[in-house]
Amino acid sequence: MATVHTGELRLHVQRMGPRDGRTPVATVVLVHGLLTDSLASYYFTVAPAFAATGLDVVMYDLRGHGRSERPPSGYTLDHNIDDLEAMLERLGVHGPVHLVGNSYGGTIAFGFAARHPGRTASLTLIESEPATAQWAAKLRGILDRVVRELAHNETDAIAWITANRGHNTARLARGAARLARETTLGRDIPSSRVLTEHQIRAVRCPVLGVYGGDSDLVGTKPMKEALLPDFRSVVVPGHEHSVLVEAAGTVGGHILSLIHSAAGTAPAGAVPAAAVAR
């Protein structure tokens, strides 16, 4: 475990590289989602396979999540993009990186790519979308419900989750309730500055969208196809928002194909046979 101080707060960071000590062919940064998520969703799924193919893998807990510091305020999208920038600076990662973001982590990754198109080699959005006015309205509804049902009625909500989703999900929900109750996250994220169409179009690196076939985010594909010059997508049938964890082999194979293609390298290890679909 490593702790990186951004100048404002401490972030919990984990890093994996090729086991044989060879020089990595590229750096991939994995950004997780909101509330119940942490870097563990990558650590126990795709990260080891990525490192085995010759990649330098960086993953971290977002502010307020996992083992990172939890300030009482400062949770806008720009705060999270600033954290990503500062973390890479402290780690000495200055060249273009391959960004992978799950859910809200994809929105952070896209925001970084819009700020720094020259520092983004490729971008994967797993069940995610750029920050638009529609995104902000949707997040406001989701977070209002979290605050109302979890933070202000935690006992009944946790009892229902335990009975219907199990003890591990209930444990994660308790952490989400504390984060929603003790910080301004629920207000900050929906009030974040969103991207203009021009800023979205400025992301010209290869972009991969990965969706569960039963997810409503499949409906965001046309916007990305219209605005992004190098966008391709994969839909994994039979899955919803948790496609990263539920279909890690398939999702990881598509991401590795994109990264190694963009880097112009052949993966050192075996890559699942799924081909990236345009």
Side-chain angles (χ1 to χ4, degrees):
M1 182 181 79
T3 298
V4 171
H5 203 294
T6 66
E8 181 184 352
L9 79 169
R10 294 182 299 276
L11 296 178
H12 169 222
V13 179
Q14 292 281 359
R15 200 165 186 176
M16 293 183 181
R19 290 183 180 178
D20 58 8
R22 67 186 182 278
T23 301
V25 298
T27 296
V28 56
V29 182
L30 310 179
V31 192
H32 69 77
L34 269 179
L35 294 175
T36 58
D37 206 359
S38 71
L39 67 77
S41 62
Y42 291 113
Y43 189 91
F44 293 108
T45 57
V46 298
F50 287 4
T53 68
L55 297 173
D56 170 29
V57 181
V58 177
M59 55 198 137
Y60 68 106
D61 287 328
L62 300 179
R63 57 170 58 208
H65 294 71
R67 297 179 179 179
S68 287
E69 192 172 350
R70 179 181 291 176
S73 61
Y75 286 88
T76 67
L77 180 59
D78 279 326
H79 282 104
N80 280 282
I81 299 170
D82 291 345
D83 288 346
L84 175 54
E85 289 180 349
M87 180 196 68
L88 292 176
E89 178 67 25
R90 299 299 188 274
L91 292 177
V93 178
H94 303 297
V97 296
H98 300 270
L99 294 170
V100 177
N102 183 42
S103 192
Y104 180 60
T107 307
I108 296 170
F110 198 102
F112 179 94
R115 275 195 202 177
H116 303 290
R119 294 184 61 187
T120 309
S122 75
L123 176 61
T124 298
L125 307 176
I126 306 169
E127 279 289 301
S128 186
E129 58 188 310
T132 63
Q134 292 80 7
W135 166 86
K138 179 170 67 176
L139 264 291
R140 180 172 291 105
I142 292 171
L143 291 171
D144 282 351
R145 181 179 176 186
V146 168
V147 171
R148 183 174 65 252
E149 296 185 4
L150 270 182
H152 293 162
N153 190 23
E154 183 175 346
T155 301
D156 290 345
I158 295 300
W160 186 92
I161 292 169
T162 303
N164 292 274
R165 298 290 186 266
H167 289 283
N168 185 57
T169 303
R171 177 182 61 81
L172 296 174
R174 287 189 189 94
R178 286 194 299 273
L179 182 58
R181 185 175 58 245
E182 297 172 4
T183 74
T184 60
L185 179 147
R187 298 192 301 274
D188 289 353
I189 291 178
S191 63
S192 295
R193 184 162 50 112
V194 298
L195 297 175
T196 66
E197 182 177 309
H198 176 75
Q199 290 171 318
I200 294 173
R201 289 184 182 275
V203 176
R204 307 191 67 82
C205 66
V207 181
L208 170 66
V210 181
Y211 311 94
D214 299 327
S215 168
D216 62 348
L217 280 164
V218 174
T220 66
K221 285 174 52 182
M223 179 270 284
K224 296 166 191 167
E225 291 166 348
L227 298 182
L228 300 173
D230 192 359
F231 176 76
R232 75 266 339 243
S233 62
V234 173
V235 177
V236 185
H239 294 279
E240 298 182 0
H241 199 59
S242 300
V243 65
L244 168 64
V245 173
E246 295 171 357
T250 299
V251 172
H254 286 294
I255 298 170
L256 283 173
S257 294
L258 174 74
I259 291 173
H260 284 286
S261 174
T265 60
V271 177
V276 176
R278 283 192 180 270

